[in-house]
């Protein structure tokens, strides 16, 4: 996880530094505490200037300060991880590897094919000196944050950054849409005295017949949020990026041929056919569960092994169990998604290394007093009711209706139960169940001081609630139980695994039941496809900014490209049966049933 930023001025009278404010710098440093550097690049005729600022969190290999610059004056900022697709040798650094590949690209097609092949989360900024081009963008799911801001017509400034602060005077920041990658021809824009962006969108395959339609719809979508004086164009030869996943399988099973009400119990033949069908269905389910488990396990493996574990090697001695540090933490509600991830992490994290389970609870004492109040209660505190991770809100929401009241209870209880199961699965592992209790005062203070700014430019009540929960959880400051006694603990694990993406793909939210009831499987397919498409703007940019603020890196196993492709290949009927009761309806539940994740 790194903080990257670039400010561009075209024929501006202002000094470029004017656009680079202290608040933003401070936020960027928190994301990349291990190295901070900046670099200014000006065109020889001064028609444009760019300031690049890079802040690095060191996770693997040798520390590679950013921005990188090569002999041809190309410049590169990378906030990403290559988990696959582009070879990174054991002693190599992914930032350097990407930069080297980019510098070898001779055409736009080369650059697009490079980014099409990377597997893993990324956002980047690349200055291609020979063409005076600035390239930037986010990966297919938008797993890394990148914001942009455009100056007014006169100023022709443009800024990109991982995280920013709201400024009263300034213009709005927006998330860079994860719709493709962008290019600016700096020289041409300077000559035209106006900013024009080229967009190269993601597509499933470059031979799709509907290319034209896709281009138009993406273009519309992206340009509707741009200021009027910014032009957005697509390349006339329809260049595009290849999506790293396959499209969603929208097949709907034909209604089963069985006539309801027919008594078949006397017909031995029928019964055995039925049993056989049941058996085959079971076998089929089993196979699917194993396939799912395998692909998810690989995804978790990549995410827990790709990080720096140097300290232990340095001391060379076997540290006592109490001073072993965890390198991997899980945002742990005790719900199915976080359980599966923790159990799979256990398979791959070295056995002598503890795993931190981060479990957050909000201590809102005022709660009982609020109970009697009506829904109309408009005071700000009432919104705290929503303050808990999505999952448990959902569960409660389904049970108790609109006015949610979840403070410490649900996640702490499921969390402890989850811990027990994990301890049973692997008793020799040190499981640090970190109880993070947040008081109302602390919540108010930190939300004001910083969490609001990280959530920005998103601003809904739900963003606020989830954002606060994730911020406190990933900070990792709480208590662990040591022989029955609670002692203070701070998780220093730099990698934080989260289960986001599971419910979006496996129809785990209660809104999916509503959708299914109303519109059937067809409607549910549409809903799931839409939700995965918007997960970048709904969740991921925000979560990356929040977790990155602690100098930690969010990793999302359920959004691994292979996991998504596997799930996309299955028709909805294989993934969720919403005619079953809540909780046991989904494929991931089967995983727990088999008990074979251990
Ligand atoms: C490359 O270097 C950066 C900065 O030191 C670090 O964050 C990243 O984890 C490294 N990657 C690899 C693959 O070594
Ligand atoms: C479109 O792509 C072609 C091939 O890379 C390139 O020659 C041309 O300049 C591009 N056009 C624009 C408007 O970027
Ligand atoms: C945190 O909250 C839990 C549940 O309410 C409580 O049992 C525990 O003692 C609290 N921990 C601390 C350190 O206050
Ligand atoms: C979609 O699912 C159906 C039913 O399992 C299967 O027959 C078909 O091959 C799948 N299609 C794709 C493109 O994977």
């Amino acid at each position: 996880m790194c903080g990257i930023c670039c400010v561009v001025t075209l024929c501006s009278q202002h000094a470029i530094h004017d656009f680079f404010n202290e608040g933003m710098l401070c936020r960027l440093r928190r994301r990349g505490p291990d190295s901070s550097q900046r670099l200014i690049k000006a065109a020889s005729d001064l028609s444009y200037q760019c300031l690049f600022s890079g802040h690095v969190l060191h996770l693997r290999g040798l520390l590679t300060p950013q921005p990188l610059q090569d002999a041809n004056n190309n410049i590169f900022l990378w906030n990403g991880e290559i988990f696959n697709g582009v070879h990174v040798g054991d002693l190599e650094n992914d930032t350097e590897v990407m930069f080297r590949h980019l510098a070898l690209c001779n055409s736009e097609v080369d650059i697009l094919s490079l980014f099409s092949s990377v597997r893993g989360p990324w956002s980047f900024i690349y200055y291609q000196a020979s063409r005076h081009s600035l390239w930037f963008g986010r990966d297919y799911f938008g797993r890394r944050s990148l914001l942009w801001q455009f100056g007014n017509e006169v100023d022709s400034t443009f800024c990109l950054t991982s995280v920013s602060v709201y400024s009263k005077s300034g213009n709005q920041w927006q998330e860079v849409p994860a719709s493709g990658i962008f290019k600016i021809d700096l020289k041409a824009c300077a000559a035209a005295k106006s900013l024009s962006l080229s967009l190269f969108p993601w597509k499933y395959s470059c031979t799709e017949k509907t290319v034209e339609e896709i281009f138009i719809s993406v273009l519309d979508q992206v340009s509707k949020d741009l200021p009027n004086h910014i032009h957005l164009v697509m390349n006339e030869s329809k260049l595009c990026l290849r999506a790293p996943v396959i499209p969603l399988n929208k097949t709907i099973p034909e209604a089963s041929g069985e006539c309801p009400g027919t008594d078949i119990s006397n017909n031995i033949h029928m019964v055995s056919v039925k049993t056989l069908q049941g058996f085959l269905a079971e076998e089929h389910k089993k196979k699917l569960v194993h396939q799912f488990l395998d692909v998810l396990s690989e995804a978790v493996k990549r995410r827990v092994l790709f990080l720096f574990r140097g300290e232990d090697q340095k001391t060379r001695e076997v540290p006592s169990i109490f001073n072993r540090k965890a390198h991997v933490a899980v945002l742990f509600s005790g719900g199915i998604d976080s359980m599966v991830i923790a159990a799979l992490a256990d398979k791959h994290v070295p056995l002598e290394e503890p795993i931190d389970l981060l479990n957050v609870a909000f201590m809102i004492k005022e709660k009982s007093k609020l109970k009697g109040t009506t829904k109309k209660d408009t005071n700000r505190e009432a919104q705290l009711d929503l303050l808990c991770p999505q999952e448990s809100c959902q569960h409660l929401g389904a049970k108790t209706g609109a006015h949610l009241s979840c403070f410490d209870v649900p996640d702490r209880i499921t969390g402890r139960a989850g811990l027990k199961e994990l301890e049973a699965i692997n008793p020799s592992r040190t499981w640090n169940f970190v109880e993070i209790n947040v008081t109302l005062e602390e919540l108010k203070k930190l939300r004001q001081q910083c969490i609001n700014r990280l959530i920005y430019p998103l601003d809904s009540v739900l963003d606020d609630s989830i954002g606060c929960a994730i911020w406190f959880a990933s900070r990792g400051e709480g208590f662990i139980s040591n022989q029955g006694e609670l002692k203070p603990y701070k998780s220093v694990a730099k990698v934080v695994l989260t289960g986001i993406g599971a419910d979006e793909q496996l129809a785990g939210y209660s809104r999916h039941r509503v959708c299914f009831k109303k519109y059937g499987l067809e409607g549910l397919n549409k809903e799931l496809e839409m939700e995965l498409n918007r997960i970048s703007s709904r969740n991921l940019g925000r979560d990356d900014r929040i977790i990155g603020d602690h100098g930690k890196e969010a990793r999302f196993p359920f959004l691994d490209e292979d996991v998504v492709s596997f799930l996309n290949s299955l028709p909805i009927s294989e993934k969720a049966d919403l005619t079953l009761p809540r909780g046991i309806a989904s494929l991931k539940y089967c995983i727990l049933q088999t008990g074979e994740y251990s």
Side-chain angles (χ1 to χ4, degrees), residues 172 380 452 455-464 542:
Q172 260 287 326
R380 178 86 179 152
N452 278 341
I455 291 165
Y456 178 80
L458 304 194
D459 59 3
S460 74
V461 173
L462 205 61
D463 289 319
D464 179 44
R542 178 197 66 206

Side-chain angles (χ1 to χ4, degrees), residues 322 416 431-435 478-489:
F322 295 109
R416 288 212 183 97
W431 296 100
N432 291 325
F433 182 70
V434 189
E435 300 190 20
F479 291 81
I480 56 175
S481 171
N482 185 10
Q483 281 140 7
E485 229 175 274
L486 285 175
K487 62 168 197 179
Y489 181 80

Side-chain angles (χ1 to χ4, degrees), residues 143-314:
R143 286 165 289 185
R144 292 289 174 257
S145 170
L146 193 63
L147 309 178
W148 63 16
Q149 185 197 52
F150 302 93
N152 55 37
E153 253 176 297
V154 189
D155 254 350
S156 281
T157 56
F158 170 66
C159 186
L160 289 165
T161 181
S162 306
V163 57
S164 186
V165 289
Y166 173 79
S167 60
K168 276 184 221 103
S169 56
N171 300 297
Q172 260 287 326
W173 289 91
Q174 289 169 324
E175 292 191 332
V176 174
S179 322
I181 63 181
F182 295 85
K183 189 190 78 168
I184 301 179
D185 283 317
L186 296 169
K187 212 140 203 174
C189 288
K193 294 195 162 49
S194 84
L195 202 58
S196 167
L197 306 173
S198 306
L199 168 59
F200 304 90
W202 292 106
K203 279 196 308 100
Y204 286 120
S205 81
C206 284
T207 54
E208 272 169 66
K209 289 212 188 71
T210 47
V211 166
E212 205 72 38
E213 281 165 42
I214 292 175
F215 269 61
I216 291 168
S217 92
V218 174
L219 202 58
D220 282 352
Q221 232 172 51
V222 176
S223 36
K224 79 177 184 336
D225 295 323
L226 291 174
N228 285 332
H229 64 281
I230 307 298
H231 305 281
L232 182 70
V233 296
M234 301 249 190
N235 188 291
E236 67 271 14
S237 42
K238 305 282 182 287
L239 298 180
C240 62
L241 294 151
R242 222 171 37 252
V245 296
I246 65 168
L248 182 64
N249 187 338
K250 292 195 196 151
T251 311
I252 291 180
E254 290 166 33
S256 75
E258 218 170 276
C259 315
T262 328
D263 182 11
I264 54 164
S265 56
N266 292 331
N267 186 330
I268 300 286
H269 176 66
M270 285 288 277
V271 169
S272 60
V273 166
K274 244 200 122 172
T275 321
L276 182 62
Q277 275 169 350
F279 176 72
L280 286 178
E282 275 301 297
E283 278 302 294
H284 178 67
K285 259 259 141 65
K286 243 192 196 160
K287 198 172 132 216
L288 281 185
V289 168
H290 280 201
Q291 284 174 338
F292 182 32
L293 216 45
D294 286 347
V295 72
L296 190 60
S297 177
E298 276 304 306
V300 170
K301 181 178 177 184
R302 283 194 274 274
R303 281 160 182 77
V304 303
L305 291 187
F306 284 5
L307 64 93
F308 187 60
R309 290 193 156 82
E311 278 112 329
D312 286 334
Q313 283 152 20
K314 233 187 284 163

Side-chain angles (χ1 to χ4, degrees), residues 567-587:
L567 290 175
N568 274 0
S569 77
L570 304 177
I572 180 69
S573 49
E574 309 266 24
K575 290 184 276 197
D577 183 351
L578 299 188
T579 58
L580 295 176
R582 244 195 100 78
I584 63 166
S586 121
L587 185 59

Side-chain angles (χ1 to χ4, degrees), residues 1-2 34 56-66 78 80-82 88-96 306-307 553 555:
M1 174 85 41
C2 301
D34 298 323
V56 174
L57 172 70
H58 187 212
L59 282 168
R60 300 196 263 170
L62 290 175
L63 179 73
T64 308
Q66 298 191 30
W78 172 251
E81 293 285 351
I82 301 179
V88 181
D90 280 346
L91 298 173
E92 286 184 313
N93 186 275
D94 57 347
T95 313
E96 273 165 4
F306 284 5
L307 64 93
E553 179 166 292
R555 294 185 178 175

